Amino acid sequence: MMEAVTSDGLVAEGISLSFGGLHVLNDVSMTLQPGVVTGLIGPNGAGKTSLFNCLTGLYHGQRGRSSFAGTPLNGLGPAQRAACGITRSFQNLAMCPDLSLLENVLVGLTLKRRSGWFSAFVPTQAQRAEQQDAERRAMAALNELGIASVAHEKPSDLPPGTLRLGEIARAIACEPRAILLDEPAAGLNAVETRDLMRALKRLMRPDLVLLVVEHDMDLIMELCEQIYVLNFGKMIASGTPAEIRAHPDVIRVYLGDDADD
Amino acid sequence: MSARGAHVDVVRLLMLALVAILLLAPLLAGGFLLYSLSLCFANTLAVLSVSMLVRYGGEVSIGHSFFVALGAYAVAIIEHRFGLSIVVSLPLAVLLGAGAGFVFAFPSRRLSGIYLAVATMALALALPEILIGFEKFTGGFEGLYIAQDLLPGMPKALQRYYVALAVLVLVCLALAHFRKSAQGLALLMAQAQPRAAEAMGITRSWARISIFTLSAALAALAGALTGFASSTVSPNSFTFFSGVFLLVGSVVSLNRLSLPAALVGGAFITLVPTYLAQAGDWVPILYGVALVVVTLVANAGDLRRFLPRGMRR
Ligand SMILES: Nc1ncnc2c1ncn2[C@@H]1O[C@H](COP(=O)(O)OP(=O)(O)O)[C@@H](O)[C@H]1O
Ligand SMILES: [Mg+2]
């Protein structure tokens, strides 16, 4: 296994997770460096979303440790990890149907908002300024993904591709230190996918941890500098796109997967 | 965009017209009607407290009459013991309601759905016992009178009417503001997408405790005004069925938090018990029917899902 974790990024070490007798993750380790777009690929059911859930505190592995910027994350719930600056998108769209797209993105800023309970009921000058500031940031995030024009629509009136971009806007709105995206390109058409890639590349900063889960090889190969491959709950390979492309195990898994499609 | 703007303007105008009519009503109506309307406003606030819990918490309470009674008795007891009017007792009642809501919500923060509803039922069942048991404070079966004016010099009936109306309108405005606030958005998200909300730092227990505390505070405010508007509090007005009726009122108003919708719910629960009382032998059966309806609705979440898609807001 990995010795001496010196990284200040998001680190998972020896994570094992099982539901009843079903082993979903088996001694999985990965290091997400800041400033590097990291990809996680693997066939359906490999455990990518489960690993995500372990990193964001939704699941707790039976074994293993995780840390972010040197701070141990073990035992922290999802809300506490969010407070550490880790945000995510969901593979299954998680929009509130009662709220407009803009309001859905505004919720992503909750931890950054400073208005108290009194101003939740009574309009005040300070509250109005705070509200406008939050809306400006949410609009900027929507703009970044090219969907600002539909900010005031309800999710039920928008196509799934736009909603997926909206979820990413919500994840980036609060200027997080780590962004985990679960199949961001699922349901997007070719144009939307290109917009998304461009937005993600623009997003990259030297201090940002960015993890993208995909089962679309081409997209990952173009976007990521570091790639991990998960199969049946085991990390079977990691490396640069060139290394991954040449890896015999990956070729076997993906040829098998292609045969299924 | 402009169509939306025009729509908002029309709604706002209709709302202003409604408030104007209610403001002028005392010129035409008198006596009993005015008294009934004042009570209706107070009941509307109580209905709003239940609707708020449904809309922002996704939960159903059968026991909100407990918090309403708390507010009403707070006003009565503060007047009796300390001779202070609702200028003092109204804010105190709200704080007391919030405190009681918090004390109830904290241990039950992991309960939801039918389990929470049953837990609140315990409150409603305990209420009459408490009111009669603490006779020294509550006046037992007789109850207490509330005599102090808020605005000296104004006729009693008009005071009741205008104070209740003013508080109701202010609460509706506050609720409209709340819908856009950070806390309001967070609560709606926590209800619709609890996991996503957690990932954004909104914990489920925060959401549950907050909404229950707020809703109990509003119920206590409603109670304080019920006491003021009826000039009396007694165990008769806070039976187990009061809690059920509040829920029925909320269902009738489609759990909406707007003034007109809530008024319909408030009017319903102000009038129906009066008519039910005339039904004599039929009363238990009618209560039974009300309970079945409420159970069905509680089971279905809320009535909005039966509306055509475009009307759900
Ligand atoms: N909460 C859960 N309970 C039981 N099994 C689960 C749960 N979450 C995931 N799994 C199982 O874990 C395996 C991996 O799922 P998942 O992580 O969603 O894979 P991927 O995202 O790579 O497609 C699947 O077999 C799935 O059925
Ligand atoms: Mg998945």
Side-chain angles (χ1 to χ4, degrees), chain A residues 113-183:
Chain A
R113 299 192 63 176
R114 288 286 163 264
S115 49
W117 280 108
F118 178 76
S119 59
F121 291 98
V122 182
T124 62
Q125 201 86 43
Q127 176 269 332
R128 212 163 290 154
E130 196 268 357
Q131 173 91 16
Q132 275 166 5
D133 181 54
E135 271 172 25
R136 196 180 41 72
R137 291 164 74 168
M139 280 309 273
L142 286 169
N143 222 354
E144 192 76 17
L145 290 149
I147 50 173
S149 59
V150 290
H152 297 284
E153 303 291 332
K154 284 272 157 68
S156 54
D157 299 330
L158 293 169
T162 309
L163 295 180
R164 196 158 289 282
L165 295 177
E167 276 225 357
I168 298 163
R170 181 166 70 188
I172 66 171
C174 62
E175 289 155 23
R177 294 156 65 206
I179 305 175
L180 314 184
L181 302 178
D182 199 350
E183 309 219 359

Side-chain angles (χ1 to χ4, degrees), chain B residues 238-294:
Chain B
F238 304 107
T239 65
F240 168 67
F241 287 106
S242 326
V244 176
F245 266 114
L246 290 182
L247 188 51
V248 171
S250 170
V251 169
V252 168
S253 64
L254 301 180
N255 312 123
R256 285 186 183 224
L257 298 175
S258 72
L259 181 60
L263 270 174
V264 172
F268 186 85
I269 66 165
T270 311
L271 296 176
V272 169
T274 321
Y275 287 107
L276 273 187
Q278 295 163 4
D281 291 346
W282 289 88
V283 166
I285 294 172
L286 292 172
Y287 274 131
V289 170
L291 260 177
V292 168
V293 168
V294 163

